[in-house]
Structure formats: structure tokens, C-alpha cells
Amino acid sequence: MTASLTTTNPAAAGPATATATPAGRFRAGLATTPGRLALATAVAVAACLLLGVTGFLAGNGQSAALQDAQRDAAQLVGTQELRNDLVSADATATNAFLVGGLEPTEARERYEASLSEAAEAVPALAATARGEGEAADLAAVADSVQRYAGLVESARANNRQGFPVGAAYLDQASAALRDEVLPTIDEVAVSTSQRVDADMGSVALAQALLLFVLLALVALGAVQLWLARRTHRVVNTGLAAASLALLVGGVVAAAAVLGGNGVARSVASGPYAATVATSEALSLATDAKSMESFTLIKRGSGGDFEESYQTSLAGAKSLLAEAAEATDTGSDPLSLLNAWDEKHQEIRTLDDEGNWDDAVSAATATGDDTAGAAFTAFSDQAQADVRTTSDAAVERLGSAATTAQVAAWIALVLGVAGAIAAAAGMNVRLKEYR
């Protein structure tokens, strides 16, 4: 009996074993021209889709950030206007208290208009509040405003009858406003301002995605260069169309994203900064107006109120100077504020010289060339500047958001179109090897 032995040739089995695995088959495929063309096709299509998707994400993300900045900026302006309305109401009520008896009808109407605007603004701001706890804070403001209004009415009723206790009620009302209401509003304004800053930062982050757009363009260029050397043909119609689509999409996305970031930065340092500064200056100046009246109400013991006046006025002047540097509105509220301050100094001179009645008359007069007319001129101009700059900020942010959104869709459509064109162009070359 003869035993048969089976031997295996390792050299012969090696190639079969190497190509039996997926990785082996992939390497074997790359060794052929069709395999390399298939890989190049996949790279070209992926590059086109990469540009389309990243361009869309960059534009869409920036558009959302710009819209958030627009909304939060408007919310901040509304919060500051609420503060100004309340401070204006307090200044009007305090000034009217100096008249004694039944206050002037004009003063009463201004007070009621300011308080009514504030009351209407609170629920609207609470409905659009985004920060944690802001809605609850604004609800607390609404309750405190009602308490403030009640104290003012008590002060008015006693003042009409000549009772000294009216001044005490007015002190309580003003203290409630400054100790309860205004600090809460300021907290809401600070958190909203921080959100605006965060929104502006998110606008800039979209620029990072442009690196992937550049990578996609480089990848497609590399595929075309390889194909030209491999086939000795300079132009592939499909890849040329894909390149044009990617170039246009990349330029549109980059221009929109970089432009949107530029708009955000210019708005932040321009009209938005001017809006915030002017609004805060108006609030401080109106507060100073209240301090002027309290100084006279206290009749010789209002030194602390005069110090508060000077502090608030200095802050208002500094803020108006910042607003003027941020943007040019064609007006000069600072000069109007200085004109009112000159009238205030005349009132203080009369009071310090013992002419209290004349000082009160100067403080409450409503004709031309009076302290009241000077402050009204400043207040009206400051409010007009706030509206002008806030409208400019909101409009520019909204326009940039729309541009970024449109660019996002353009990049996506061109990316997909480029992928189809690239696949078609490469398929022509693949057919030559089949």
C-alpha cells in the first residue's frame, strides 16, 4: 500500500489568500486603472458634497446666530426703554410735586403716558424673554410698578391738601423704584447684553467651517490633476463643471460668512454700542432730573441728592461721548445735556442764595428757555437717536442673516450639482476601461 502525501505550494497560495479579504480586494482594485478611477470618483463626489454641506452649515448657522443677535439686541433696547419710561415717570411726578396743590395737567399726562408705556412693555418683554428667570423677574417688576404707582397717588392726594406726609409717600415711591424695580431691570439688561455678546461670538464661529470648504476645493483640484496626467486629457467636462460649481459655491459661502462676521462686528461697535450708550445716558440724565427736584423738596437738606445728580450727569456725559464715537447720527445730544445742566446750575444758585421760591419756579417752569424746555429738548433728541441707531442695528443684522441663509442654500445646491457633474464626468472615463 502506497501512502499519498498532499503538499501545498505557499508561493502559489499567497496571492489567492491576499485577495480573499476585503482589504486585499481593495488593494488589488487600486492596482488597476478602473479601480483608481472609481476611487477618484468617490473623492470628487465627496469633495463636492463636503463643500455643499459645510457651506450650508456655515451659512445657516451664522444666519441663526445673526437672528439671535437681532432678537436679543431688540430685547435689550426694549428693556432699557422700560427703565427709561419708569425713571421718566418718576422724574415727572417728582417735579410736579414741587408745584404744590393740583399739579399741572401737562405734567400729569406725561406721567401717566410714561407709566402706561412701562406697564404695556413689561408683559411684552416677559413673553420674549429667553434668559433663565428673566420672565419671573419681569413679573416681579410689574408688581413693584403697581406698588410704586399706589405710593405716588398717595403722595399726590396729600400734596393737593397741603399735608407734609405727601413728601414721605413720594420718598417711599422713589425708594421702591430705585431699590426694587430698577435693580431688577438692570439684572435683566445685563443678562440680555451677555446673550448679545454670545450671539456675536457664534457669528464668528461659522468662519471655522470655511476650512472644510477650502479642503473640498483642494481635493477636487487634486482629482483633476491626477486624471489629466493619467489620461493625458487636459479637460474633463464633468469635472470642469463640478469645479465651477464648487468655486462659485465656495466664493458665495465665504463672502456671506466673512461678510456676516464683518457686519456683526461693525454693528456691535457702531449702532448697537451707540444705542446702548445713549439709552443708558438718557436713563441717568432722567434720574438726575429727579434728584434736582428732590434737592428742592428737601429745602436745604438735599445735599445727598445733589451729589447723586452730579454722579448721574457725569455718567450720562461720558456715555454720550462714547455713543458719538461709535456712530454719527448727525445730532449732538451732549450739547443739549450741557445746556440743561447750565439751567440746573442757575436753579442751584437761586436755592443756595436762599431764593427757594424762585428756584422752584425755575425748576417747574414750562415755557421757552427754561430748565424744563432744555431737558425736554435733550430727552427728545436722545430718544430719537436711540430709535435711529437701534433700527440701523436691527436692519443690518437682519439683512446679514438673510444673506447668509441664501448663501447656505446656494452652496448646498451647487455642491450637490457639482457631485452629479463630477460623477458623470468620471463615469465617461470609467466606460473606456469596460
Side-chain angles (χ1 to χ4, degrees), residues 269-288:
S269 61
Y272 171 72
T275 298
V276 174
T278 304
S279 183
E280 290 179 355
L282 176 58
S283 181
L284 287 173
T286 307
D287 188 65

Side-chain angles (χ1 to χ4, degrees), residues 305-345:
F305 293 103
E306 175 60 18
E307 290 181 6
S308 297
Y309 170 93
Q310 296 296 340
T311 300
S312 296
L313 195 72
K317 290 180 178 181
S318 177
L319 287 167
L320 289 175
E322 292 178 11
E325 292 180 0
T327 188
D328 182 14
T329 60
S331 65
D332 188 9
L334 181 56
S335 65
L336 297 175
L337 183 63
N338 287 328
W340 171 62
D341 186 36
E342 291 177 3
K343 295 295 182 182
H344 170 79
Q345 298 307 323

Side-chain angles (χ1 to χ4, degrees), residues 345-356 358-359 362:
Q345 298 307 323
E346 294 175 4
I347 293 171
R348 293 306 321 138
T349 298
L350 289 171
D351 188 28
D352 292 340
E353 291 177 352
N355 300 318
W356 185 83
D358 292 340

Side-chain angles (χ1 to χ4, degrees), residues 90-327:
D90 187 60
T92 303
T94 305
N95 186 260
F97 191 87
L98 284 170
V99 177
L102 187 63
E103 73 270 25
T105 302
E106 182 182 353
R108 181 63 184 174
E109 289 176 350
R110 285 201 308 270
Y111 166 80
E112 290 180 346
S114 296
L115 201 64
S116 176
E117 290 176 3
E120 292 174 0
V122 172
L125 290 170
T128 55
R130 297 176 60 214
E132 183 178 354
E134 287 184 11
D137 288 339
L138 289 169
V141 166
D143 293 338
S144 297
V145 168
Q146 290 181 355
R147 177 169 173 264
Y148 165 80
L151 290 170
V152 170
E153 290 306 311
S154 297
R156 287 183 64 240
N158 284 276
N159 191 44
R160 282 200 305 269
Q161 300 179 57
F163 296 156
V165 72
Y169 278 116
L170 191 65
D171 276 344
Q172 290 182 37
S174 186
L177 183 70
R178 284 166 172 74
D179 296 341
E180 300 174 15
V181 181
L182 298 185
T184 303
I185 294 176
D186 289 340
E187 289 178 4
V188 173
V190 168
S191 63
T192 306
S193 178
Q194 291 173 344
R195 262 199 328 276
V196 173
D197 293 339
D199 295 335
M200 294 298 188
S202 298
V203 171
L205 287 176
Q207 296 177 109
L209 291 173
L210 294 180
L211 293 175
F212 293 98
V213 173
L214 179 61
L215 177 63
L217 290 170
V218 171
L220 187 61
V223 169
Q224 290 188 87
L225 181 61
W226 175 84
L227 185 64
R229 289 180 176 177
R230 188 70 180 181
T231 62
H232 303 291
R233 296 174 184 175
V234 177
V235 178
N236 179 284
T237 304
L239 286 181
S243 297
L244 180 60
L246 259 65
L247 183 61
V248 173
V251 169
V252 169
V257 170
L258 295 175
N261 184 56
V263 168
R265 285 188 287 107
S266 65
V267 167
S269 61
Y272 171 72
T275 298
V276 174
T278 304
S279 183
E280 290 179 355
L282 176 58
S283 181
L284 287 173
T286 307
D287 188 65
K289 179 68 173 173
S290 295
M291 297 301 102
E292 178 185 81
S293 299
F294 269 115
T295 302
L296 294 173
I297 290 172
K298 295 301 180 179
R299 302 195 66 156
S301 59
D304 291 342
F305 293 103
E306 175 60 18
E307 290 181 6
S308 297
Y309 170 93
Q310 296 296 340
T311 300
S312 296
L313 195 72
K317 290 180 178 181
S318 177
L319 287 167
L320 289 175
E322 292 178 11
E325 292 180 0
T327 188

Side-chain angles (χ1 to χ4, degrees), residues 10-22 24-25 27:
T17 303
T19 59
T21 63
R25 289 193 296 271
R27 286 193 297 269

Side-chain angles (χ1 to χ4, degrees), residues 359-414:
V360 170
S361 297
T364 57
T366 57
D368 296 336
D369 195 29
T370 62
F375 183 81
T376 299
F378 160 73
S379 178
D380 290 347
Q381 187 58 65
Q383 290 178 24
D385 284 355
V386 168
R387 287 192 296 270
T388 298
T389 53
S390 63
D391 288 347
V394 170
E395 180 181 356
R396 290 174 61 182
L397 289 173
S399 177
T402 301
T403 299
Q405 187 69 66
V406 171
W409 284 104
I410 290 176
L412 181 61
V413 170
L414 289 177

